Amino acid sequence: MGLKLLRTSVPPAWSRPPLGFAYLRRFHSSPKWRELQYEIPKVAVLYQALKPPVINGIRKPPKPGGYQDSGADIAYILQTQARVDVATPATCPDPKADSGWCWGDTEEGIMGAVEDGATHLWANTILFGSHPLQTSSYLKKYQDRIRVVGQPPLLVEKFDDKQYLNDLLRGQGSFTMPEAWSVNSSQDMKSLLTSYNLPYPIVGKPVRGRGSHGVKVCYSEDELFHHVKSLLEESSVVMLEQFLSGEEATYTIMPPSPERPDYWAMPPVTRFNHEGGIAPYNGIIAVTANSKALTSKESAKDARYLEAAKECEAVARLLNTTAPIRIDVRRFTEAPKSKFALFDINMKPNMTGPGRPGRENQASLTAISAAILGWDYPKLLVQILNSASTLGELRAAT
């Protein structure tokens, strides 16, 4: 079955327009497309079925379930509340179940979604240079018509290396970053840690991590030594960072879209109730229990929030991101109005949201921020869908 793509100058009378239908409009610069055109999308959400490859001796740990929970949230809400046509591998997937809503990100899974008529692929998965979205010859004939919500796979492979990315940002000279060091498996770790004369406490974390996996605040050289030793069993390189003791916040940076042609920061979300100095994994404690979005009036009381937002926008602009990213920031100290430093850039932020039975408290940090803008979860998803790039554009990005 070929790709189903309906274009018309006005929505057909028999079609119930999606929520925010105008947001799905596309302007084309070619003379024959100067009049307004509408694209009726059919979305297929992809989940992580492929195990990430070993890259420079390091494998990013896969998420249990492969992001099917958030994928099911996205597919269900687009279909039932945003009134967007959604292609699912199961004929009638159960709203209470994570399975049946999303297609595996293998070549076979993606082919199945395309053959089911998908015009938009929502890449709710971890991408890399050898991913089928980048390499599949089958998809080449569709690459100028299929749109993808996601980042360019070749760029994700580079920027998922936190040491590479942080060094890139430090090299710009314009971003506020914590001090950092690294340890690799070939070095005499005990001697190296001593020679660094580190300002404890120090944060030890994997170079290619996922969420708070493997992230720990260590208060002594002995504690750091044992933590790094355990991390080196799964990663050939470990990052060490200055511990930032002040307020933590996070910004979602939206990519350009027809409505807003430049990168922009959504309202900040402040984090609290840390465990051992680290925000706990959202699979254990829902972020709704330890996070709060700030209103414009609240954030305007401290110019540091706007300062951090501008730095985060500049990061997205430098990286040429094509989908939302989330950047975690933290103040250097607990002093009022202490400066924020950028300490984690997440190329695939969690996108869970309420709507399915039993998921009432599963709003992601991005969804919490969106509420301050007056966007509910369906509108947030439509806004993100509006920023989708063609597969060809993503493949060409290096």
Side-chain angles (χ1 to χ4, degrees):
M1 183 183 298
L3 181 69
K4 296 178 181 176
L5 185 64
L6 173 63
R7 290 187 184 274
T8 179
S9 57
V10 294
W14 48 263
S15 172
R16 186 184 185 192
L19 177 68
F21 186 77
Y23 292 118
L24 300 174
R25 297 180 300 186
R26 296 283 171 187
F27 289 95
H28 297 262
S29 57
S30 170
K32 74 173 189 176
W33 287 110
R34 279 179 181 164
E35 68 176 284
L36 182 63
Q37 301 290 314
Y38 289 91
E39 181 177 84
I40 311 297
K42 184 171 185 178
V43 180
V45 182
L46 307 180
Y47 76 90
Q48 185 183 38
L50 290 173
K51 191 174 184 179
V54 174
I55 301 171
N56 297 327
I58 305 168
R59 187 192 303 275
K60 186 182 181 81
K63 181 181 179 181
Y67 304 98
Q68 287 188 83
D69 55 346
S70 55
D73 291 340
I74 294 167
Y76 175 81
I77 294 301
L78 284 176
Q79 183 182 77
T80 63
Q81 295 186 33
R83 302 192 297 274
V84 172
D85 195 8
V86 175
T88 58
T91 304
C92 295
D94 182 357
K96 297 178 182 178
D98 295 342
S99 61
W101 290 96
C102 310
W103 305 79
D105 65 344
T106 61
E107 183 175 50
E108 181 181 10
I110 298 171
M111 286 169 55
V114 172
E115 289 172 359
D116 197 38
T119 64
H120 290 61
L121 302 174
W122 193 303
N124 190 46
T125 183
I126 299 300
L127 301 175
F128 40 85
S130 59
H131 194 279
L133 283 177
Q134 180 69 36
T135 63
S136 172
S137 58
Y138 169 82
L139 292 174
K140 186 174 182 179
K141 59 185 175 182
Y142 299 116
Q143 68 179 18
D144 295 327
R145 289 186 285 166
I146 287 180
R147 292 189 173 272
V148 179
V149 175
Q151 309 291 354
L154 292 175
L155 295 188
V156 175
E157 179 167 316
K158 285 196 298 187
F159 300 147
D160 255 357
D161 183 323
K162 296 181 185 298
Q163 182 179 18
Y164 172 88
L165 178 53
N166 288 359
D167 286 348
L168 174 67
L169 298 181
R170 286 191 184 90
Q172 299 297 307
S174 56
F175 296 107
T176 309
M177 310 285 292
E179 288 189 82
W181 304 262
S182 65
V183 178
N184 66 59
S185 55
S186 67
Q187 295 172 305
D188 181 343
M189 183 170 51
K190 192 72 174 177
S191 299
L192 187 66
L193 293 181
T194 301
S195 69
Y196 279 154
N197 192 26
L198 298 169
Y200 290 93
I202 287 290
V203 179
K205 61 185 182 181
V207 165
R208 289 186 181 270
R210 176 182 54 78
S212 58
H213 172 81
V215 182
K216 183 180 180 181
V217 180
C218 300
Y219 292 85
S220 68
E221 184 176 306
D222 185 64
E223 184 180 11
L224 181 62
F225 174 83
H226 286 95
H227 180 55
V228 170
K229 185 177 179 181
S230 67
L231 290 179
L232 287 173
E233 293 177 0
E234 62 181 60
S235 171
S236 60
V237 182
V238 173
M239 286 180 60
L240 311 178
E241 275 188 352
Q242 171 189 5
F243 175 59
L244 305 169
S245 61
E247 175 196 6
E248 181 175 338
T250 190
Y251 290 87
T252 295
I253 310 302
M254 296 289 281
S257 69
E259 299 295 316
R260 300 186 70 159
D262 196 7
Y263 294 94
W264 61 281
M266 294 176 66
V269 176
T270 187
R271 312 295 308 279
F272 45 87
N273 292 343
H274 291 59
E275 294 185 354
I278 302 296
Y281 171 52
N282 70 303
I284 299 174
I285 299 177
V287 295
T288 52
N290 56 27
S291 310
K292 177 187 179 296
L294 301 182
T295 65
S296 57
K297 183 177 291 188
E298 290 172 324
S299 60
K301 294 177 181 177
D302 186 348
R304 295 298 192 190
Y305 289 112
L306 178 59
E307 182 179 78
K310 293 302 181 185
E311 285 199 28
C312 292
E313 291 170 351
V315 169
R317 200 172 291 117
L318 174 67
L319 303 186
N320 287 317
T321 56
T322 54
I325 62 171
R326 207 189 71 237
I327 300 179
D328 297 331
V329 302
R330 196 162 181 175
R331 296 184 192 266
F332 282 98
T333 71
E334 296 179 8
K337 300 188 179 180
S338 171
K339 191 175 179 65
F340 283 103
L342 285 57
F343 73 90
D344 191 42
I345 288 82
N346 189 333
M347 298 296 287
K348 196 207 82 63
N350 183 30
M351 206 54 68
T352 56
R356 291 193 295 135
R359 303 283 292 174
E360 292 78 12
N361 69 339
Q362 290 302 310
S364 63
L365 292 166
T366 299
I368 291 172
S369 175
I372 294 295
L373 299 173
W375 297 357
D376 58 11
Y377 187 46
K379 184 167 183 178
L380 170 64
L381 296 181
V382 169
Q383 291 282 350
I384 294 173
L385 186 61
N386 185 42
S387 66
S389 304
T390 67
L391 177 59
E393 290 169 336
L394 297 193
R395 286 184 161 190
T398 58

